[in-house]
Amino acid sequence: MVELTQKKVRKNAYWAKLETALSTYKNMLIIGVDFVGSKQMQNVRAAIRGRGEILMGKNTIIRKVIRDNTSNPALQDLLPLIKGNMGFIFTNGDLNALRKEVIAFKEPAAAKAGVLAPINLTIPAGPTGLDPGQTNFFQTLNINTKITKGTIEITSPVDICTAGTKVTASAVALLNKLGIRPFEYGIVVSSVYENGSVYDAAVLDLSIDDLVVKFA
């Protein structure tokens, strides 16, 4: 008898777990978890225990499991969504309530060079709390300052980054110097699978009136 490697054992266990989830639950949230830490994920798992099951995994294995699933052809519509750092939250409960609860878990995070900024960010004019000996740092970044009551004061607002553009190394240096953790990261729900249909998660935000206007 051939003894399976630990890697193969884990792969088989995950395969079985995903197959079970796909057959047990009729609904799921397709999620992205970029920059979401393990502790943050643990908190979400604990909060939705009994109402939702989070399952992450390698995209290649997920695709293979879904392609091999012949009992539910509707699952094939998930294949284009399996990319990047993603996973599923399986449930037979209220999708919208679960989504709202999951995306509420956000953690402040420091900026990282090269990462796409999720928001527009401007540092307002005002005192920095830094001593005058650090004036050269601001001069290097072409930021106008003055000394007020023994501390450096920024004299006009400084645009740091624009949503969707890469954060620069100089922006990171400035934010770190000021002790600012400007971004929040959490689970992103991109799409929904409900009773065999796949649709954009934004649909969950539509009211009855919105739907009447949309399909009138």
Side-chain angles (χ1 to χ4, degrees):
M1 182 176 179
V2 177
E3 184 176 346
L4 297 178
T5 64
Q6 283 297 108
K7 182 178 180 181
K8 186 66 174 178
V9 169
R10 288 195 298 269
K11 178 180 177 181
N12 290 348
Y14 175 80
W15 190 295
K17 190 172 184 179
L18 180 55
E19 283 188 326
T20 299
L22 290 171
S23 62
T24 302
Y25 298 98
K26 61 182 180 180
N27 303 325
M28 67 182 90
L29 302 174
I30 293 85
I31 61 173
V33 294
D34 285 342
F35 310 113
V36 178
S38 57
K39 183 64 167 63
Q40 198 171 347
M41 289 294 290
Q42 288 173 10
N43 291 340
V44 177
R45 289 180 193 275
I48 67 173
R49 185 170 293 127
R51 295 174 293 118
E53 180 181 355
I54 299 177
L55 195 56
M56 310 299 295
K58 288 188 176 181
N59 292 354
T60 50
I61 299 177
I62 295 173
R63 293 191 195 98
K64 186 77 168 85
V65 172
I66 289 176
R67 288 194 180 107
D68 288 357
N69 189 306
T70 57
S71 62
N72 186 0
L75 291 174
Q76 304 303 308
D77 292 337
L78 292 171
L79 290 173
L81 305 176
I82 303 170
K83 55 187 176 181
N85 196 7
M86 60 80 64
F88 303 107
I89 300 180
F90 295 92
T91 185
N92 284 325
D94 187 323
L95 279 166
N96 199 22
L98 189 64
R99 169 177 171 256
K100 288 179 179 179
E101 186 172 359
V102 165
I103 64 177
F105 282 82
K106 295 184 182 297
E107 294 287 341
K112 295 181 180 180
V115 170
L116 296 181
I119 57 171
N120 295 330
L121 182 62
T122 300
I123 294 179
T128 65
L130 299 174
D131 64 81
Q134 303 186 63
T135 302
N136 286 343
F137 174 82
F138 292 92
Q139 291 176 341
T140 301
L141 297 178
N142 295 317
I143 296 173
N144 295 324
T145 62
K146 65 180 181 180
I147 305 302
T148 304
K149 296 181 180 179
T151 63
I152 298 173
E153 180 176 329
I154 296 175
T155 57
S156 58
V158 180
D159 293 328
I160 295 296
C161 56
T162 303
T165 62
K166 289 184 178 180
V167 179
T168 64
S170 59
V172 171
L174 177 59
L175 291 167
N176 289 342
K177 177 70 73 173
L178 297 175
I180 297 174
R181 295 165 62 86
F183 303 143
E184 285 187 330
Y185 291 114
I187 292 175
V188 176
V189 179
S190 59
S191 303
V192 174
Y193 175 93
E194 183 176 18
N195 293 320
S197 298
V198 178
Y199 55 87
D200 192 288
V203 172
L204 294 175
D205 293 324
L206 297 177
S207 66
I208 297 298
D209 292 339
D210 292 330
L211 293 172
V212 169
V213 170
K214 186 175 181 65
F215 294 103

